[in-house]
Amino acid sequence: MTRTKSLYLLCSAAPPVFDVAHVIEDAQARGWDVCLGLTPMAAHWISQSLDGLAALTGHPVRWQYKLPGDPDVWPVADALLFAPATFNSLNAWALGLTDKFALGVAAEAVGKGTPVVTMPCTNAALAAHPQFEQSLATLRGAGVTVLFGEDGFVPGPPGVDSPPHFPWQLALDTVDATPTA
């Protein structure tokens, strides 16, 4: 009997997070057992859907660290997708700041050698900040596949609430093509 591949899907508070149920369904159709982790603000944004998302995945939706001594409630990850990943989340992750559950899980995945893919979601003004490119370079240097620019998410102008198209299919295709742990 073969074990189902486990995918940790981590999301920041950016408008594409509202599509997460469809992304989970697509990943499941591709053979992934999906565990959903959120930043606290993303959890707030989709708070009305958390129970339904837990039912959809069959796992608790997490946005907070467990207490010491509590059991792990997710299977071990075979791959991790952090998308949408905001300007703030990417910079904090690259700097090793793990005060938020999703950031800690992503940082540990890199250290464990778990295949990690991320797709930023930010506007062009924030993407022009010098720390952003340094953070992307740091994550790439750590082995993270970063889908940004011509090969991923292309940022739009500031002030636009929702990007016209967030390439979720590209993110899932990249995860599928990445050798798993």
Side-chain angles (χ1 to χ4, degrees):
M1 177 176 182
T2 33
R3 181 175 74 81
T4 304
K5 309 175 290 183
S6 295
L7 174 65
Y8 287 7
L9 174 59
L10 307 178
C11 303
S12 298
V17 77
F18 292 112
D19 296 326
V20 75
H22 298 294
V23 176
I24 291 167
E25 291 170 339
D26 191 2
Q28 290 171 331
R30 295 166 181 243
W32 292 100
D33 176 22
V34 181
C35 298
L36 179 61
L38 304 167
T39 62
M41 187 56 69
H44 175 69
W45 280 17
I46 62 172
S47 62
Q48 299 298 314
S49 303
L50 295 178
D51 289 341
L53 291 167
L56 178 62
T57 64
H59 302 284
V61 177
R62 299 197 51 205
W63 64 91
Q64 295 177 332
Y65 285 108
K66 66 181 184 69
L67 294 174
D70 284 353
D72 287 330
V73 293
W74 286 357
V76 174
D78 293 296
L80 184 145
L81 172 60
F82 198 157
T86 61
F87 175 82
N88 187 59
S89 290
L90 278 165
N91 287 323
W93 178 18
L95 292 170
L97 304 176
T98 60
D99 61 325
K100 292 175 179 60
F101 172 76
L103 298 176
V105 171
E108 277 192 354
V110 171
K112 290 177 177 178
T114 304
V116 178
V117 175
T118 189
M119 186 173 304
C121 184
T122 189
N123 66 46
L126 290 173
H129 190 284
Q131 183 59 51
F132 187 70
E133 189 54 46
Q134 290 176 3
S135 293
L136 295 182
T138 296
L139 293 171
R140 286 182 178 120
V144 175
T145 301
V146 179
L147 303 173
F148 187 74
E150 292 179 16
D151 299 323
F153 177 76
V154 177
V160 177
D161 280 344
S162 185
H165 173 69
F166 190 75
W168 279 113
Q169 294 303 309
L170 173 62
L172 290 173
D173 290 346
T174 303
V175 169
D176 283 342
T178 302
T180 56

